[in-house]
Amino acid sequence: MRYLSTRGDATPRKFCDILLEGLAPDGGLYLPDHYPQVDSATLAKWRGLPYHALAFEVLSLYIDDIPAADLKALCAKTYTEDVFGTPDIVPLRELEDGVYLEALSNGPTLAFKDMAMQLLGNLFEYELARRGEQLNILGATSGDTGSAAEYAMRGKQGVRVFMTSPEGRMSAFQQAQMFSLQDANIHNLAIAGVFDDCQDIVKAVSNDLDFKRKYKIGTVNSINWARLLAQVVYYFAGYFQASASNDKPVSFTVPSGNFGNVCAGHVARMMGLPIHTLVVATNENDVLDEFFRTGVYRVRAAADTHETSSPSMDISKASNFERFVFDLLGRDGARLRALFEGELGQCGRFDLSADPAFAEAATRFGFRSSRSTHADRLATIRDTDKRFATLIDTHTADGLKAAREHLTPGVPMVVLETALPIKFAETIVEALGHEPDRPARFVGIEALPKRVVSLPADAHVVKNYIAQHCD
Ligand SMILES: *Cc1c(COP(=O)(O)O)cnc(C)c1O
């Protein structure tokens, strides 16, 4: 399997060449040069496999530069009951007739990002050892991503994590999750500023190419292909649980932000998994809903990006969206460059409404979308608690509302549960008047000793800190 860039750079690259990379050198995103096709005989073979074995089957179609036995061992080591809380890893439960929740958030940080990040941690450790290299991951987080990265990389050989976060702005639970990690290779840097300051610092450090090279600075952001690939697996696992045979279509609804999760669904569908509809659920930050309704993709300014009660979906642009547009427009790298570098770069928007391909987003690719508000979330959380005695988090609530707007008779609808309610307790209290249950392993974490340093919002100070803490 070879990988290419959405903006036309077709230098053939293998999986491990792009594993530790972010953007392609031409500013595009990496995609495989084709989608391996999965026929009904293969689906029949895969149905009933344990999750780690299914993961191996899917991944091995895209990774041919890691020996099969090693890849198998990495999958087996990643997807365990010990780490993900259940033997099924992503158990499905029926909520109402034909509507299911697929639990993706029973990993160490209680959000679906663990599904990919845990694998990434093991892949990074493996590949760095093979090359005899080290990597220092620098990131900015306002919550979910940073903690998922830290729990995936803790104790890993060859990897250090330097994670900036806005001091005092994460919930007490989120701070406790990250700052209670005592592993020597995890560095929490609380920055006196807001999330944008943290992002600016990461950019400033990454733009200093000498520093970046000398200190082997890398990232684990959501455009990483390996993360997306790991997410493809649970569409297969969800499909098998929601259907009795491999000729039955199943739909998925995905609470969306950077379009990574639902893009993995798109990849599964392109491989031939019988997915009927892919519903993109957004909150008030409706960049994606606007595109799928109108054909206009319009990036929001910081001032137009809302802080909502489903904060992991608060985006101004959807960084993985370019991957889908590449497929939608017939994989035309020059056209993608003109759209994303040209029009989007200059005007902050592009308009595909007049392009015949736009209609195919729905007809050929199965995409639909919906948008929710804070009031919708509260209503959905209350209704789900009352009618089904089931507590859902705010992001999953956005998904459930969207799912009900796009049901097809006779087609099961799987809503991806992307986080557990305890992570967003304030909104649960607002909706229900009481705190959500807390899994036993998180009781009292706020009282644990914290390992964090406070730094000013200054890239030089952060660079000095990194330099001093690289052996
Ligand atoms: C990251 C995240 C999302 C959005 O996922 P994308 O892949 O960015 O679309 C949704 N819900 C939760 C809880 C998340 O952490």
Side-chain angles (χ1 to χ4, degrees):
M1 176 63 77
R2 296 287 193 278
Y3 291 87
L4 43 74
S5 161
T6 52
R7 296 196 188 167
D9 180 347
T11 311
R13 293 177 175 87
K14 293 251 185 190
F15 178 80
C16 290
D17 298 332
I18 65 166
L19 171 63
L20 306 171
E21 302 284 317
L23 291 175
D26 65 355
L29 281 73
Y30 289 115
L31 273 179
D33 66 359
H34 69 284
Y35 295 115
Q37 295 301 298
V38 170
D39 58 17
S40 59
T42 309
L43 287 177
K45 225 173 58 195
W46 289 3
R47 184 180 278 276
L49 286 182
Y51 193 89
H52 65 87
L54 179 62
F56 168 72
E57 295 293 338
V58 173
L59 294 176
S60 60
L61 297 177
Y62 292 91
I63 304 174
D64 51 18
D65 51 349
I66 295 178
D70 292 355
L71 187 59
K72 202 174 244 176
L74 288 167
C75 291
K77 174 175 160 187
T78 302
Y79 296 109
T80 65
E81 178 174 357
D82 196 35
V83 175
F84 288 96
T86 70
D88 293 338
I89 310 296
V90 290
L92 198 74
R93 58 192 196 277
E94 190 168 30
L95 203 57
E96 63 196 359
D97 202 18
V99 178
Y100 302 81
L101 290 179
E102 184 175 358
L104 304 182
S105 35
N106 295 316
T109 74
L110 307 182
F112 86 98
K113 291 188 174 66
D114 292 328
M115 293 300 305
M117 210 71 95
Q118 287 289 318
L119 180 73
L120 208 65
N122 287 326
L123 281 170
F124 274 27
E125 184 177 53
Y126 174 87
E127 182 60 15
L128 288 167
R130 201 157 70 154
R131 296 184 190 182
E133 286 178 13
Q134 305 234 328
L135 185 69
N136 292 305
I137 293 168
L138 174 64
T141 190
S142 52
D144 286 351
T145 309
S147 57
E150 291 190 354
Y151 278 78
M153 304 297 168
R154 63 186 296 199
K156 292 278 184 289
Q157 295 296 317
V159 190
R160 287 185 201 85
V161 177
F162 296 89
M163 190 59 65
T164 62
S165 61
E167 183 154 34
R169 290 185 190 252
M170 292 189 298
S171 72
F173 184 83
Q174 284 176 320
Q175 292 185 42
Q177 263 192 325
M178 289 177 53
F179 301 166
S180 62
L181 289 180
Q182 300 297 325
D183 306 76
N185 70 329
I186 303 296
H187 299 271
N188 288 303
L189 313 181
I191 302 295
V194 294
F195 177 59
D196 281 343
D197 296 314
C198 300
Q199 275 194 309
D200 288 345
I201 289 171
V202 172
K203 263 187 222 148
V205 175
S206 302
N207 287 341
D208 180 343
L209 296 182
D210 288 336
F211 185 88
K212 193 178 169 192
R213 204 170 308 118
K214 180 163 181 206
Y215 291 103
K216 315 232 174 325
I217 303 294
T219 57
V220 285
N221 47 27
S222 78
I223 55 164
N224 181 288
W225 165 254
R227 270 181 74 177
L228 203 136
L229 178 58
Q231 295 174 347
V232 173
V233 179
Y234 54 68
Y235 285 87
F236 282 86
Y239 175 82
F240 291 134
Q241 293 179 81
S243 65
S245 63
N246 297 325
D247 51 353
K248 298 275 191 296
V250 171
S251 294
F252 288 86
T253 298
V254 188
S256 292
N258 276 318
F259 204 77
N261 201 353
V262 74
C263 194
H266 164 68
V267 171
R269 195 173 183 277
M270 296 300 279
M271 293 169 72
L273 186 67
I275 296 179
H276 185 276
T277 305
L278 284 166
V279 181
V280 177
T282 77
N283 62 20
E284 291 89 335
N285 297 295
D286 56 358
V287 191
L288 290 167
D289 179 48
E290 180 175 59
F291 174 78
F292 286 105
R293 277 187 298 103
T294 67
V296 175
Y297 182 64
R298 181 172 59 91
V299 168
R300 309 297 199 252
D304 296 328
T305 307
H306 310 281
E307 270 189 42
T308 75
S309 48
S310 42
S312 300
M313 294 157 64
D314 292 349
I315 47 118
S316 54
K317 64 179 169 67
S319 48
N320 278 291
F321 184 57
E322 186 169 333
R323 287 193 160 109
F324 169 66
V325 177
F326 185 63
D327 286 342
L328 180 69
L329 299 179
R331 299 200 138 207
D332 178 346
R335 175 110 191 262
L336 265 277
R337 170 178 291 278
L339 277 180
F340 280 86
E341 211 174 282
E343 284 189 50
L344 203 62
Q346 276 147 38
C347 322
R349 72 201 291 279
F350 61 72
D351 181 353
L352 297 182
S353 61
D355 192 304
F358 172 61
E360 296 188 343
T363 55
R364 193 151 79 87
F365 294 94
F367 275 94
R368 299 284 188 284
S369 70
S370 283
R371 165 189 199 276
S372 305
T373 64
H374 180 67
D376 292 325
R377 283 188 277 287
L378 295 180
T380 307
I381 290 167
R382 276 190 204 114
D383 173 67
T384 310
D385 179 58
K386 198 163 141 203
R387 287 201 292 143
F388 310 111
T390 297
L391 204 53
I392 55 172
D393 99 290
T394 50
H395 306 75
T396 308
D398 288 336
L400 186 54
K401 183 214 167 229
R404 291 194 173 116
E405 292 167 5
H406 298 282
L407 296 175
T408 308
V411 178
M413 171 62 84
V414 175
V415 178
L416 300 187
E417 180 179 57
T418 55
L420 290 195
I422 183 64
K423 295 201 88 168
F424 305 97
E426 268 170 52
T427 309
I428 302 298
V429 171
E430 187 182 345
L432 301 177
H434 64 80
E435 288 264 340
D437 287 342
R438 190 179 272 226
R441 67 185 194 275
F442 293 101
V443 173
I445 59 166
E446 288 91 340
L448 294 174
K450 294 190 168 52
R451 191 164 178 275
V452 55
V453 295
S454 298
L455 297 178
D458 182 339
H460 291 290
V461 178
V462 171
K463 278 190 209 170
N464 279 337
Y465 185 90
I466 293 173
Q468 281 160 17
H469 291 84
C470 291
D471 47 49

